[in-house]
Amino acid sequence: MPTKRPDVSRTLRPLYLILGFAAVALGVIGAFLPLLPTTPLLILAAGLFARSSPRLEAWLVEHPRFGPVLRAWRENGAIPRRAKVLACVGIAIGVVFFWIGARPGYWLWLAGAALLGGSAGYILSRPSSAKAE
């Protein structure tokens, strides 16, 4: 289910390809590290591969483990419930670690918490995808 490849200059294709591989590598690492987001990196990789290599894009979108989540995002902008929960828990932990570790002033902490809270709000506002869970 690859997308139609947009017109990209020949000089940019290798850059998109390298960035796509980097995003996949970070996404795979994120599958094992709790604070590195896997799905957004794989969505980014699919977009980069769409501009550089339709074959790699198709491989990623049809992957048995990651493909259903990527297809749900492309078709409906949907995020699985489990991913929403994990993302929001990670955001909450990040806010607490920021408070404890950095000891920011109240206003800086509040600004960071508001930014991350907005991110959590966006995640929660997306439709849930039962078939990608």
Side-chain angles (χ1 to χ4, degrees), residues 56-69:
L56 288 171
E57 177 197 15
W59 168 79
L60 192 57
V61 171
E62 298 301 324
H63 191 275
R65 171 91 172 128
F66 303 119
V69 174

Side-chain angles (χ1 to χ4, degrees), residues 9-87:
S9 73
R10 288 190 174 275
T11 57
L12 288 179
R13 281 189 192 141
L15 176 64
Y16 287 135
L17 188 65
I18 291 167
L19 291 173
F21 278 121
V24 167
L26 289 172
V28 170
I29 292 169
F32 301 101
L33 295 177
L35 295 178
L36 190 61
T38 300
T39 304
L41 289 166
L42 294 177
I43 290 169
L44 175 64
L48 291 165
F49 286 151
R51 288 162 177 74
S52 60
S53 172
R55 185 175 55 87
L56 288 171
E57 177 197 15
W59 168 79
L60 192 57
V61 171
E62 298 301 324
H63 191 275
R65 171 91 172 128
F66 303 119
V69 174
L70 295 173
R71 288 189 302 274
W73 176 259
R74 280 191 173 175
E75 293 166 7
N76 303 315
I79 300 172
R81 263 184 221 94
R82 183 173 185 271
K84 287 181 179 186
V85 169
L86 290 174

Side-chain angles (χ1 to χ4, degrees), residues 109-121:
W109 178 81
L110 193 60
L115 179 69
L116 291 173
S119 299

